[in-house]
Amino acid sequence: KAGVTQTPRYLIKTRGQQVTLSCSPISGHRSVSWYQQTPGQGLQFLFEYFSETQRNKGNFPGRFSGRQFSNSRSEMNVSTLELGDSALYLCASRFDGGQHNEQFFGPGTRLTVL
Amino acid sequence: AQSVAQPEDQVNVAEGNPLTVKCTYSVSGNPYLFWYVQYPNRGLQFLLKYITGDNLVKGSYGFEAEFNKSQTSFHLKKPSALVSDSALYFCAVRGPAGNTPLVFGKGTRLSVIA
């Protein structure tokens, strides 16, 4: 079974631009979560989608948004990029919304904002 | 609110020696606890989880973790470290109810020296 895939793997943008990252979960998984990883802040939760509905949202500004499609694929969008948005963005999927279920992570998208 | 503490930023151990990576947590109710490992330029890989039952949980690559409710700890252990175990290790917790997200610790970098 294929793992979680994320595209693109690397991205370079300039301040003020916007970016869209894509995530394809493991087949059959309905929950997709997004995390931002930086050396200073560690792994911070952005949001979770389940069956096309946002179920949880972390403490990030409104410039960060996401959505999930009927095939469970998810995208996240960051508008008006800032230098501090440079990070590794990780997507994770799990089978359903069960609290005990582990998440499976993709390789991440490395975003660099210049 | 739930939280995880990994008190050591770095752990060094000689190859062949036992290793321990510490984790303490705070959550209302019974926790679901997870350990993940991250190799350079990779996403997180699931190692093991505690849901309920036996306090000693066995996982991938010879790792195990011990759940201690009174000390609110979930330390990761391995009897004999390998150089290839060198990586970044994350402990994570999720509460038992609702749709709360997975919360990660800051991570502990493990270096196994030959």
Side-chain angles (χ1 to χ4, degrees), chain A residues 7-101:
Chain A
T7 57
R9 291 293 310 278
Y10 301 92
L11 208 49
I12 299 175
K13 293 286 187 179
T14 57
R15 280 180 300 173
Q17 288 187 308
Q18 74 165 20
V19 67
T20 299
L21 312 182
S22 181
C23 171
S24 292
I26 292 172
S27 177
H29 285 195
R30 296 162 62 194
S31 167
V32 173
S33 296
W34 288 89
Y35 292 84
Q36 181 195 66
Q37 185 179 18
T38 59
Q41 298 298 319
L43 277 159
Q44 292 191 287
F45 172 75
L46 281 155
F47 26 66
E48 178 186 10
Y49 287 87
F50 182 78
S51 294
E52 301 180 66
T53 301
Q54 187 181 86
R55 187 159 64 173
N56 267 308
K57 190 177 190 306
N59 190 26
F60 277 81
R63 300 185 296 107
F64 292 81
S65 63
R67 59 178 176 168
Q68 186 180 32
F69 302 95
S70 58
N71 61 358
S72 293
R73 192 177 68 84
S74 178
E75 290 181 346
M76 67 163 282
N77 184 277
V78 188
S79 62
T80 320
L81 284 166
E82 300 177 359
L83 295 178
D85 296 334
S86 295
L88 181 67
Y89 290 88
L90 293 165
C91 166
S93 74
R94 56 186 168 130
F95 176 63
D96 62 18
Q99 293 291 91
H100 60 284
N101 287 332

Side-chain angles (χ1 to χ4, degrees), chain B residues 93-110:
Chain B
V93 68
R94 186 183 279 132
N99 297 317
T100 54
L102 193 59
V103 174
F104 286 85
K106 292 283 190 183
T108 298
R109 187 163 300 281
L110 173 68

Side-chain angles (χ1 to χ4, degrees), chain B residues 7-8 19 36 44-45 49 51 68 87 94 102 106-107 113:
Chain B
E8 302 155 316
L19 69 87
Y36 286 84
L44 276 68
Q45 295 179 32
K49 68 179 178 181
I51 300 174
N68 187 316
R94 186 183 279 132
L102 193 59
K106 292 283 190 183
I113 303 155

